[in-house]
Amino acid sequence: MNEYTLPIIFGVTVGTIARAIMLRTDYRQYPTYLHGKVIHLALGFIAAALGSVAIPAIMEKEFTAVTFLTIAASQFREVRNMERNTLTELDGYELVPRGNTYIEGIAVAFESRNYLVIFTAFLTTLAYLVFNWIAALAVTIVIFIINRKLMSGSTLKEIVDISHSDIHFEGAGLYVDNIYIMNIGLPERQEEIRKYGMGFILTPKNFDVRSTIANLGQRQAILHDISVSLGVFRDSGTPALVPLIKRELDDGRIGVFILPQDHNPKKAAEIIGAVPVLENAIRMPSESKVNQKN
Amino acid sequence: MNIEKAILAVITTNSQKVDGGAPIFYCESKEEMTKVAANLEAIIDGISHALSDELYIIVKH
């Protein structure tokens, strides 16, 4: 035991707890129970250890020791690669795939959460060493609150108005409201779609949102999340039964056509509202210099 | 084999209307045509699209 032992233990513990809190398994069921979680808890522990030994290293004037944080960075980039590869591999076997944009978003979240753990451990150890354990505890609470904020992005209901809309056929063309979805030739397929299909119209609340919901990855994420939560009337070998989203070019609305097994429009609208806005789909035309000038 | 965006079969009741590269299935009636289209859809994993009342195509998307 020396003067650094307790602060380091404190930092490592807090960091690992932070990772555990940020590791939630919700409807996405990813990471899956136990094995997937163990991997991320172990990495979280390593991240916490790296973060908390940095301060004692500096205090002992071992400045070169800080370079191992760069090793940590490359290590966690590897985490992102691992997640991306796994999810991309699995995506081929989903009835309604996540899509690459969604996968990239998940992978980035895994990487960034490890950095949050490093910062958490770093700052709590610093507070412990400079002040005392009470200050460290206070810092812990503040950081946990900040982590919670950083963890949750915005959801679709903040950027679009969601309305339930009937689906209908004009000849072989399937429409949601006035948005053309696809051509369904067989009368029996049309019958199935009339029976199980459901339509929603998402109206963008402002101009920026238009490009965000037009993003194909964002659209696929919507379809995937609905299919996960409400089931999907689809199987391999029935390519005609496919949930789709098409765009109205005039005003940027999108028409969502889904085939849920749980036929509940209210629930479906809520689920669409809760779909995360993917970081990689966000566009801000209003921030461009030309738009700001005029 | 992976085919993307290709017309895999043409099903019609009017032989005057079709010619060319994809396999053509000539049917006597509309009922037969939809039956053949439904079977082909399942077999070749494509989607039946109706171009007109007498012409269906199966497309792999």
Side-chain angles (χ1 to χ4, degrees):
Chain A
M1 290 276 269
N2 62 22
E3 78 248 56
Y4 299 127
T5 315
L6 279 178
I8 289 176
I9 291 175
F10 187 88
V12 172
T13 316
V14 167
T16 315
I17 293 172
R19 186 69 190 98
I21 292 173
M22 286 190 280
L23 195 65
R24 281 187 312 182
T25 301
D26 55 8
Y27 65 96
R28 282 170 278 235
Q29 284 299 302
Y30 192 84
T32 39
Y33 194 58
L34 223 55
H35 290 99
K37 279 192 170 176
V38 166
I39 293 171
H40 288 289
L41 281 178
L43 282 165
F45 175 78
I46 295 169
L50 285 170
S52 54
V53 296
I55 297 290
I58 293 168
M59 286 179 163
E60 290 295 318
K61 297 198 169 57
E62 296 279 351
F63 299 121
T64 46
V66 180
T67 52
F68 66 69
L69 285 178
T70 56
I71 302 169
S74 62
Q75 173 70 28
F76 295 129
R77 224 174 19 245
E78 207 44 54
V79 170
R80 180 167 159 190
N81 276 332
M82 174 186 86
E83 290 305 328
R84 183 196 296 125
N85 294 342
T86 320
L87 285 169
T88 312
E89 286 286 315
L90 296 178
D91 216 29
Y93 294 97
E94 299 271 359
L95 282 177
V96 180
R98 284 188 175 87
N100 285 342
T101 317
Y102 203 173
I103 289 176
E104 199 55 43
I106 296 172
V108 168
F110 274 109
E111 185 184 356
S112 73
R113 282 174 193 186
N114 277 307
Y115 296 129
L116 286 178
V117 168
I118 294 186
F119 288 132
T120 307
F122 183 87
L123 290 176
T124 47
T125 315
L126 181 70
Y128 199 126
L129 283 169
V130 175
F131 304 106
N132 52 29
W133 67 269
I134 299 171
L137 214 57
V139 169
T140 308
I141 293 165
V142 172
I143 288 183
F144 275 14
I145 294 167
I146 295 172
N147 280 354
R148 265 211 109 71
K149 267 246 141 32
L150 288 175
M151 233 177 93
S152 51
S154 53
T155 54
L156 269 188
K157 63 174 172 293
E158 293 160 27
I159 62 168
V160 293
D161 292 314
I162 303 159
S163 59
H164 181 229
S165 173
D166 281 330
I167 54 171
H168 62 276
F169 282 96
E170 281 174 30
L174 168 65
Y175 285 82
V176 172
D177 197 28
N178 64 336
I179 301 170
Y180 177 76
I181 304 289
M182 71 189 298
N183 178 311
I184 299 285
L186 295 174
E188 51 183 294
R189 286 279 168 282
Q190 293 192 359
E191 208 39 59
E192 282 171 348
I193 282 171
R194 272 198 205 96
K195 193 168 164 203
Y196 294 101
M198 214 194 276
F200 287 92
I201 295 287
L202 309 192
T203 317
K205 285 186 180 166
N206 60 50
F207 190 76
D208 286 344
V209 173
R210 280 191 191 191
S211 356
T212 305
I213 58 170
N215 184 291
L216 294 174
Q218 180 65 55
R219 295 195 219 170
Q220 193 60 41
I222 298 173
L223 295 175
H224 176 80
D225 272 9
I226 298 174
S227 307
V228 165
S229 301
L230 292 180
V232 60
F233 188 78
R234 174 171 217 241
D235 194 10
S236 62
T238 58
L241 298 171
V242 57
L244 274 178
I245 298 185
K246 294 287 177 192
R247 186 175 185 220
E248 166 68 42
L249 296 177
D250 278 335
D251 52 13
R253 290 179 304 144
I254 56 172
V256 181
F257 163 67
I258 54 173
L259 290 152
Q261 275 175 331
D262 180 357
H263 218 268
N264 185 337
K266 213 174 143 242
K267 247 199 232 172
E270 253 171 64
I271 290 160
I272 294 174
V275 172
V277 179
L278 302 181
E279 283 179 20
N280 298 317
I282 297 172
R283 296 287 176 279
M284 287 287 168
S286 61
E287 301 278 309
S288 83
K289 285 205 179 91
V290 177
N291 278 335
Q292 280 178 342
K293 251 192 290 184
N294 299 316
Chain B
M1 191 172 64
N2 239 334
I3 301 175
E4 270 185 44
K5 297 269 180 209
I7 299 179
L8 298 182
V10 178
I11 308 119
T12 184
T13 51
N14 183 350
S15 58
Q16 303 290 312
K17 293 258 182 185
V18 292
D19 199 359
I24 298 166
F25 296 80
Y26 180 63
C27 301
E28 297 294 335
S29 63
K30 192 155 192 269
E31 288 71 55
E32 193 192 345
M33 184 169 69
T34 54
K35 210 177 263 176
V36 170
N39 270 330
L40 281 173
E41 184 180 84
I43 294 163
I44 53 188
D45 208 7
I47 301 181
S48 295
H49 295 297
L51 296 186
S52 69
D53 281 344
E54 49 191 20
L55 183 60
Y56 278 47
I57 54 172
I58 311 266
V59 180
K60 180 92 180 179
H61 285 279

